[in-house]
Amino acid sequence: MNDKDFDMRAAMAAARGGREGAWALVRGFAAYWGEPLGPQDGFTGAELDAAEQRLGLRLPMALREAYRLFGRRADLTSCQDVLLTPDELYLLDGALVYRAENQGCAHWGVLLDDLAQEDPPTVGRPDLADKSQERWEPWEERFSTAAAVMAMSEKLLEDGELTDFLECEAELPDSFTELPALGRHCRWYEGPDVLVVAVEDAWIAARARTPEALDALYGAVPGDWLNG
């Protein structure tokens, strides 16, 4: 992909419209900020069929599409939290669980009552000391949105020389442009060769295309960066 072929703003806006836009965003994002997706990056239909047989249910179309498109790409699925493999999917209190927080502090899933929808809403559930207080709560309105946000945020949290993390409120200079809203509690910004996500005004993660661009970010946003 030529660097000029990917319009981050337009792709994020289109992703808000449904599955096709979300998968186009993942493809463009992966190629522009990392490596293009390839046939080997997804699980096979047979692997997903086996998961359905084991669980005794049909997986939503959007979930199958995401797993087949990039389910094996750890840089897009499991740098921080973890996308479960098809043979790890399980049921918990009326929901199909597909993703887990890296220390088991939370899980994400799709309610069984919503599995018949092609692109169902997702739910989240914290791991509490008092299990009687745990509840599935609404997360994203579409699975495809949750999957696209996962791919982008996990790539920004990848351990590498072009990524970094800072615990702070998002106070970015005017050289950064806020992108279309995508994802619960997420605000996305684009700067010169840098992409930043701010989550709940508690922390930000960044990915640069060059070491020079990351150094410029450090100068523009001073703080106790994890790697800088």
Side-chain angles (χ1 to χ4, degrees), residues 202-219:
W203 55 269
I204 64 176
R207 184 173 189 89
R209 287 173 56 78
T210 66
E212 293 77 16
L214 191 59
D215 286 339
L217 173 66
Y218 294 150

Side-chain angles (χ1 to χ4, degrees), residues 192-204:
D193 285 332
V194 176
L195 181 66
V196 173
V197 61
V199 180
E200 295 185 323
D201 287 329
W203 55 269
I204 64 176

Side-chain angles (χ1 to χ4, degrees), residues 49-150:
D49 291 344
E52 290 183 337
Q53 185 172 7
R54 175 178 61 84
L55 295 166
L57 50 75
R58 295 295 300 273
L59 300 174
M61 183 62 68
L63 188 145
R64 290 184 65 99
E65 290 172 348
Y67 270 81
R68 297 202 66 175
L69 181 63
F70 65 99
R72 292 186 182 274
R73 278 284 292 267
D75 60 321
L76 303 176
T77 63
S78 303
C79 292
Q80 175 71 17
D81 302 325
V82 180
L83 177 71
L84 303 184
T85 61
D87 61 358
E88 293 173 330
L89 295 170
Y90 67 96
L91 306 181
L92 176 65
D93 289 348
L96 171 69
V97 180
Y98 68 86
R99 191 176 184 218
E101 197 268 342
N102 70 95
Q103 295 181 333
C105 296
H107 300 82
W108 292 271
V110 176
L111 294 178
L112 299 184
D113 288 345
D114 294 330
L115 288 183
Q117 299 182 41
E118 290 190 350
D119 195 2
T122 62
V123 290
R125 179 186 180 112
D127 182 42
L128 303 177
D130 183 354
K131 298 301 181 184
S132 68
Q133 297 301 310
E134 290 186 7
R135 300 286 187 276
W136 288 112
E137 300 292 344
W139 193 252
E140 300 290 358
E141 294 183 358
R142 297 186 180 94
F143 176 86
S144 61
T145 300
V149 171
M150 172 185 67

